[in-house]
Each structure stands twice: as structure tokens, then as C-alpha cells.
Amino acid sequence: MYNVFIDEFAERVSAIPARMSDVPAILFADDVLLSAKSPEGLRRLMDVSTTWAEDRGMTWNTKKGKSEVLESEETKGHVFNLARKELNQVKEVTYLGVSLSEEGITDSRMLERIKKGKNSNLTAKSARGLLARAKCNEKPSSL
């Protein structure tokens, strides 16, 4: 069911103004990585994500370890909600097997693979920004 709606979700989050995020979301199957330039931008992405899921009878998996915000200097003292639930802030997020921290990509093996890539100029610092990781469920969870 989720796959039917994923393109529309991508369009919705891409409509967020560029001043809030250059690349608002990275999507793979039911794994979503939201990225913003500010706490306000990240909140806006989460609000759009919440509304999108509710409008389609879906939910975000907000259990510990499934949806979380990457802690940074900019996120400290801020509260982030997805599906009306507060998300934990963590020092490291793993998305599709790649470990990310406030400094960027932390997995040395992944950095080596990136450096070997033709015409690649991605560094640990270039993957920075305010990040939130989420998983979408196809059916609403029971309360």
C-alpha cells in the first residue's frame, strides 16, 4: 500500500521551500530520512509527513529506534513530534546501513567506498544537516 503513495509523499516534502531544506527527504521502500537546515524546517517536514500519513490511514512507526532525530547543537532544547509523538534525539542515526552523526558519515568503510567513487567529492562534512529517520506502517496501529 505504501508504495502506491510514495511518489505523492515525495512531491509533498519536495514542496517545502528551499530555504528550509536543499534535499528534504531520501526515500527507500518504507525508510525515510528527512533533512532540514533548521529546527523549524525539520518540524515543518514532520508536520507534512504526519498529515500525509493520516490522510491515507497510515501511521509512522514512532517506537524507539525506528524514528529519531539526530542530535546536534541546533536541535538541543527543541522538541520534535512525528505523528503527534515526541521523538528521541540520538547522537548517531543509521540509515540503510550508513551511520550518520552531527559530523556527517561516521562509517570509515563507507567513506572509503565514497572516495573511490568516480568524480565523488562527498566528505563526512557534506552529509550534514538536521536529520530525522522514520519508518511508515501500512495500517494504523491500535491505540
Side-chain angles (χ1 to χ4, degrees), residues 6-17 21 23-27 32-34 44-46 48-49 52 60:
I6 190 66
D7 288 341
E8 185 187 348
F9 176 72
E11 289 173 15
R12 284 241 186 137
V13 295
S14 293
I16 300 296
S21 179
V23 179
I26 299 173
L27 313 170
V32 175
L33 185 71
L34 300 174
R44 178 73 181 120
L45 286 167
M46 289 183 177
V48 166
S49 300
W52 172 85
W60 291 102

mmCIF file of all heavy atoms in Angstrom, residues 6-17 21 23-27 32-34 44-46 48-49 52 60:
data_model
loop_
_atom_site.group_PDB
_atom_site.id
_atom_site.type_symbol
_atom_site.label_atom_id
_atom_site.label_comp_id
_atom_site.label_asym_id
_atom_site.label_seq_id
_atom_site.Cartn_x
_atom_site.Cartn_y
_atom_site.Cartn_z
ATOM 1 N N ILE A 6 3.986 6.609 -2.278
ATOM 2 C CA ILE A 6 5.306 7.178 -2.017
ATOM 3 C C ILE A 6 5.646 8.348 -2.935
ATOM 4 O O ILE A 6 6.257 9.324 -2.500
ATOM 5 C CB ILE A 6 6.414 6.096 -2.057
ATOM 6 C CG1 ILE A 6 7.738 6.657 -1.533
ATOM 7 C CG2 ILE A 6 6.596 5.550 -3.455
ATOM 8 C CD1 ILE A 6 7.724 7.015 -0.095
ATOM 9 N N ASP A 7 5.231 8.293 -4.198
ATOM 10 C CA ASP A 7 5.530 9.401 -5.108
ATOM 11 C C ASP A 7 4.851 10.690 -4.643
ATOM 12 O O ASP A 7 5.451 11.761 -4.699
ATOM 13 C CB ASP A 7 5.104 9.065 -6.537
ATOM 14 C CG ASP A 7 6.005 8.028 -7.180
ATOM 15 O OD1 ASP A 7 7.138 7.841 -6.690
ATOM 16 O OD2 ASP A 7 5.572 7.397 -8.153
ATOM 17 N N GLU A 8 3.618 10.570 -4.197
ATOM 18 C CA GLU A 8 2.918 11.759 -3.698
ATOM 19 C C GLU A 8 3.589 12.306 -2.437
ATOM 20 O O GLU A 8 3.698 13.510 -2.256
ATOM 21 C CB GLU A 8 1.454 11.437 -3.404
ATOM 22 C CG GLU A 8 0.688 12.679 -2.999
ATOM 23 C CD GLU A 8 -0.724 12.383 -2.546
ATOM 24 O OE1 GLU A 8 -1.206 11.256 -2.739
ATOM 25 O OE2 GLU A 8 -1.329 13.305 -1.978
ATOM 26 N N PHE A 9 4.064 11.405 -1.579
ATOM 27 C CA PHE A 9 4.782 11.851 -0.379
ATOM 28 C C PHE A 9 6.036 12.631 -0.784
ATOM 29 O O PHE A 9 6.321 13.701 -0.243
ATOM 30 C CB PHE A 9 5.160 10.661 0.511
ATOM 31 C CG PHE A 9 5.988 11.052 1.702
ATOM 32 C CD1 PHE A 9 5.413 11.748 2.757
ATOM 33 C CD2 PHE A 9 7.331 10.758 1.760
ATOM 34 C CE1 PHE A 9 6.172 12.137 3.858
ATOM 35 C CE2 PHE A 9 8.099 11.135 2.845
ATOM 36 C CZ PHE A 9 7.514 11.824 3.906
ATOM 37 N N ALA A 10 6.770 12.111 -1.756
ATOM 38 C CA ALA A 10 7.978 12.783 -2.239
ATOM 39 C C ALA A 10 7.638 14.175 -2.775
ATOM 40 O O ALA A 10 8.358 15.141 -2.515
ATOM 41 C CB ALA A 10 8.663 11.946 -3.312
ATOM 42 N N GLU A 11 6.546 14.288 -3.498
ATOM 43 C CA GLU A 11 6.122 15.599 -4.012
ATOM 44 C C GLU A 11 5.772 16.558 -2.879
ATOM 45 O O GLU A 11 6.124 17.732 -2.911
ATOM 46 C CB GLU A 11 4.915 15.438 -4.937
ATOM 47 C CG GLU A 11 5.260 14.796 -6.262
ATOM 48 C CD GLU A 11 4.020 14.482 -7.099
ATOM 49 O OE1 GLU A 11 2.928 15.003 -6.789
ATOM 50 O OE2 GLU A 11 4.157 13.712 -8.063
ATOM 51 N N ARG A 12 5.083 16.043 -1.868
ATOM 52 C CA ARG A 12 4.690 16.906 -0.737
ATOM 53 C C ARG A 12 5.895 17.465 0.006
ATOM 54 O O ARG A 12 5.950 18.641 0.300
ATOM 55 C CB ARG A 12 3.821 16.119 0.251
ATOM 56 C CG ARG A 12 2.433 15.929 -0.211
ATOM 57 C CD ARG A 12 1.469 16.592 0.766
ATOM 58 N NE ARG A 12 0.131 16.259 0.368
ATOM 59 C CZ ARG A 12 -0.817 15.918 1.193
ATOM 60 N NH1 ARG A 12 -0.586 15.876 2.482
ATOM 61 N NH2 ARG A 12 -2.001 15.637 0.738
ATOM 62 N N VAL A 13 6.843 16.591 0.332
ATOM 63 C CA VAL A 13 8.002 17.095 1.085
ATOM 64 C C VAL A 13 8.916 17.932 0.202
ATOM 65 O O VAL A 13 9.591 18.835 0.693
ATOM 66 C CB VAL A 13 8.789 15.974 1.810
ATOM 67 C CG1 VAL A 13 7.935 15.329 2.885
ATOM 68 C CG2 VAL A 13 9.340 14.952 0.855
ATOM 69 N N SER A 14 8.914 17.676 -1.090
ATOM 70 C CA SER A 14 9.728 18.476 -2.011
ATOM 71 C C SER A 14 9.172 19.881 -2.180
ATOM 72 O O SER A 14 9.880 20.782 -2.624
ATOM 73 C CB SER A 14 9.820 17.796 -3.377
ATOM 74 O OG SER A 14 10.541 16.599 -3.258
ATOM 75 N N ALA A 15 7.917 20.080 -1.826
ATOM 76 C CA ALA A 15 7.297 21.401 -1.920
ATOM 77 C C ALA A 15 7.726 22.323 -0.781
ATOM 78 O O ALA A 15 7.427 23.516 -0.808
ATOM 79 C CB ALA A 15 5.772 21.264 -1.943
ATOM 80 N N ILE A 16 8.456 21.792 0.191
ATOM 81 C CA ILE A 16 8.967 22.619 1.299
ATOM 82 C C ILE A 16 9.968 23.609 0.702
ATOM 83 O O ILE A 16 10.832 23.222 -0.083
ATOM 84 C CB ILE A 16 9.645 21.740 2.377
ATOM 85 C CG1 ILE A 16 8.651 20.734 2.955
ATOM 86 C CG2 ILE A 16 10.292 22.574 3.453
ATOM 87 C CD1 ILE A 16 7.489 21.312 3.694
ATOM 88 N N PRO A 17 9.863 24.891 1.056
ATOM 89 C CA PRO A 17 10.764 25.901 0.468
ATOM 90 C C PRO A 17 12.250 25.557 0.631
ATOM 91 O O PRO A 17 12.658 25.023 1.658
ATOM 92 C CB PRO A 17 10.424 27.171 1.250
ATOM 93 C CG PRO A 17 9.039 26.946 1.767
ATOM 94 C CD PRO A 17 8.929 25.455 2.006
ATOM 95 N N SER A 21 15.223 23.475 3.316
ATOM 96 C CA SER A 21 15.934 22.230 3.037
ATOM 97 C C SER A 21 16.318 22.140 1.570
ATOM 98 O O SER A 21 15.490 22.401 0.702
ATOM 99 C CB SER A 21 15.051 21.033 3.403
ATOM 100 O OG SER A 21 15.732 19.841 3.116
ATOM 101 N N VAL A 23 17.637 19.185 0.232
ATOM 102 C CA VAL A 23 17.150 17.839 -0.081
ATOM 103 C C VAL A 23 16.284 17.419 1.105
ATOM 104 O O VAL A 23 16.797 16.924 2.105
ATOM 105 C CB VAL A 23 18.319 16.837 -0.270
ATOM 106 C CG1 VAL A 23 17.784 15.447 -0.579
ATOM 107 C CG2 VAL A 23 19.266 17.322 -1.342
ATOM 108 N N PRO A 24 14.967 17.625 1.022
ATOM 109 C CA PRO A 24 14.115 17.397 2.180
ATOM 110 C C PRO A 24 13.945 15.943 2.592
ATOM 111 O O PRO A 24 13.706 15.660 3.760
ATOM 112 C CB PRO A 24 12.773 17.994 1.770
ATOM 113 C CG PRO A 24 12.793 17.995 0.283
ATOM 114 C CD PRO A 24 14.228 18.153 -0.119
ATOM 115 N N ALA A 25 14.083 15.006 1.653
ATOM 116 C CA ALA A 25 13.874 13.610 2.025
ATOM 117 C C ALA A 25 14.655 12.674 1.115
ATOM 118 O O ALA A 25 14.825 12.926 -0.068
ATOM 119 C CB ALA A 25 12.391 13.264 1.956
ATOM 120 N N ILE A 26 15.116 11.593 1.721
ATOM 121 C CA ILE A 26 15.689 10.471 0.988
ATOM 122 C C ILE A 26 14.766 9.300 1.304
ATOM 123 O O ILE A 26 14.500 9.001 2.470
ATOM 124 C CB ILE A 26 17.134 10.186 1.433
ATOM 125 C CG1 ILE A 26 18.008 11.405 1.158
ATOM 126 C CG2 ILE A 26 17.674 8.952 0.711
ATOM 127 C CD1 ILE A 26 19.410 11.299 1.717
ATOM 128 N N LEU A 27 14.252 8.662 0.268
ATOM 129 C CA LEU A 27 13.248 7.617 0.438
ATOM 130 C C LEU A 27 13.729 6.305 -0.152
ATOM 131 O O LEU A 27 14.238 6.274 -1.276
ATOM 132 C CB LEU A 27 11.946 8.027 -0.268
ATOM 133 C CG LEU A 27 11.446 9.454 -0.008
ATOM 134 C CD1 LEU A 27 10.316 9.793 -0.954
ATOM 135 C CD2 LEU A 27 11.001 9.605 1.426
ATOM 136 N N VAL A 32 12.512 6.427 5.556
ATOM 137 C CA VAL A 32 12.533 7.839 5.172
ATOM 138 C C VAL A 32 13.574 8.562 6.014
ATOM 139 O O VAL A 32 13.651 8.371 7.225
ATOM 140 C CB VAL A 32 11.139 8.478 5.411
ATOM 141 C CG1 VAL A 32 11.168 9.967 5.131
ATOM 142 C CG2 VAL A 32 10.083 7.795 4.561
ATOM 143 N N LEU A 33 14.372 9.390 5.364
ATOM 144 C CA LEU A 33 15.311 10.265 6.060
ATOM 145 C C LEU A 33 14.922 11.684 5.687
ATOM 146 O O LEU A 33 14.959 12.059 4.508
ATOM 147 C CB LEU A 33 16.751 9.971 5.627
ATOM 148 C CG LEU A 33 17.839 10.732 6.376
ATOM 149 C CD1 LEU A 33 17.955 10.199 7.806
ATOM 150 C CD2 LEU A 33 19.163 10.586 5.659
ATOM 151 N N LEU A 34 14.499 12.473 6.677
ATOM 152 C CA LEU A 34 14.133 13.871 6.452
ATOM 153 C C LEU A 34 15.329 14.736 6.792
ATOM 154 O O LEU A 34 16.038 14.473 7.762
ATOM 155 C CB LEU A 34 12.943 14.264 7.335
ATOM 156 C CG LEU A 34 11.658 13.462 7.127
ATOM 157 C CD1 LEU A 34 10.617 13.858 8.177
ATOM 158 C CD2 LEU A 34 11.112 13.667 5.738
ATOM 159 N N ARG A 44 8.516 21.398 10.147
ATOM 160 C CA ARG A 44 7.600 21.522 9.006
ATOM 161 C C ARG A 44 7.544 20.220 8.221
ATOM 162 O O ARG A 44 6.461 19.757 7.842
ATOM 163 C CB ARG A 44 8.046 22.685 8.103
ATOM 164 C CG ARG A 44 7.208 22.870 6.877
ATOM 165 C CD ARG A 44 5.847 23.474 7.223
ATOM 166 N NE ARG A 44 5.077 23.599 5.999
ATOM 167 C CZ ARG A 44 3.911 23.000 5.802
ATOM 168 N NH1 ARG A 44 3.358 22.289 6.749
ATOM 169 N NH2 ARG A 44 3.283 23.133 4.668
ATOM 170 N N LEU A 45 8.704 19.603 7.968
ATOM 171 C CA LEU A 45 8.733 18.319 7.276
ATOM 172 C C LEU A 45 7.973 17.249 8.054
ATOM 173 O O LEU A 45 7.252 16.430 7.479
ATOM 174 C CB LEU A 45 10.172 17.873 7.038
ATOM 175 C CG LEU A 45 10.932 18.611 5.943
ATOM 176 C CD1 LEU A 45 12.413 18.292 6.018
ATOM 177 C CD2 LEU A 45 10.373 18.263 4.576
ATOM 178 N N MET A 46 8.129 17.250 9.367
ATOM 179 C CA MET A 46 7.432 16.267 10.192
ATOM 180 C C MET A 46 5.924 16.507 10.190
ATOM 181 O O MET A 46 5.136 15.559 10.166
ATOM 182 C CB MET A 46 7.988 16.273 11.606
ATOM 183 C CG MET A 46 9.366 15.681 11.681
ATOM 184 S SD MET A 46 9.937 15.630 13.374
ATOM 185 C CE MET A 46 11.502 14.836 13.149
ATOM 186 N N VAL A 48 4.189 17.884 7.714
ATOM 187 C CA VAL A 48 3.733 17.441 6.390
ATOM 188 C C VAL A 48 3.664 15.910 6.360
ATOM 189 O O VAL A 48 2.694 15.332 5.851
ATOM 190 C CB VAL A 48 4.660 17.979 5.276
ATOM 191 C CG1 VAL A 48 4.420 17.274 3.953
ATOM 192 C CG2 VAL A 48 4.477 19.481 5.125
ATOM 193 N N SER A 49 4.660 15.244 6.918
ATOM 194 C CA SER A 49 4.695 13.778 6.949
ATOM 195 C C SER A 49 3.539 13.212 7.770
ATOM 196 O O SER A 49 2.901 12.234 7.374
ATOM 197 C CB SER A 49 6.025 13.290 7.534
ATOM 198 O OG SER A 49 7.099 13.744 6.759
ATOM 199 N N TRP A 52 0.262 13.767 5.817
ATOM 200 C CA TRP A 52 0.227 12.859 4.666
ATOM 201 C C TRP A 52 -0.195 11.455 5.101
ATOM 202 O O TRP A 52 -1.069 10.843 4.494
ATOM 203 C CB TRP A 52 1.590 12.832 3.983
ATOM 204 C CG TRP A 52 1.700 11.797 2.915
ATOM 205 C CD1 TRP A 52 1.314 11.910 1.607
ATOM 206 C CD2 TRP A 52 2.193 10.462 3.055
ATOM 207 N NE1 TRP A 52 1.545 10.743 0.936
ATOM 208 C CE2 TRP A 52 2.082 9.834 1.812
ATOM 209 C CE3 TRP A 52 2.714 9.733 4.126
ATOM 210 C CZ2 TRP A 52 2.477 8.523 1.590
ATOM 211 C CZ3 TRP A 52 3.115 8.424 3.905
ATOM 212 C CH2 TRP A 52 2.991 7.841 2.646
ATOM 213 N N TRP A 60 3.187 6.477 11.246
ATOM 214 C CA TRP A 60 4.643 6.404 11.302
ATOM 215 C C TRP A 60 4.999 5.573 12.515
ATOM 216 O O TRP A 60 4.377 5.696 13.569
ATOM 217 C CB TRP A 60 5.254 7.804 11.423
ATOM 218 C CG TRP A 60 5.069 8.603 10.183
ATOM 219 C CD1 TRP A 60 4.152 9.586 9.971
ATOM 220 C CD2 TRP A 60 5.807 8.477 8.968
ATOM 221 N NE1 TRP A 60 4.267 10.076 8.702
ATOM 222 C CE2 TRP A 60 5.268 9.422 8.054
ATOM 223 C CE3 TRP A 60 6.850 7.674 8.541
ATOM 224 C CZ2 TRP A 60 5.763 9.572 6.761
ATOM 225 C CZ3 TRP A 60 7.339 7.816 7.259
ATOM 226 C CH2 TRP A 60 6.796 8.760 6.385
#
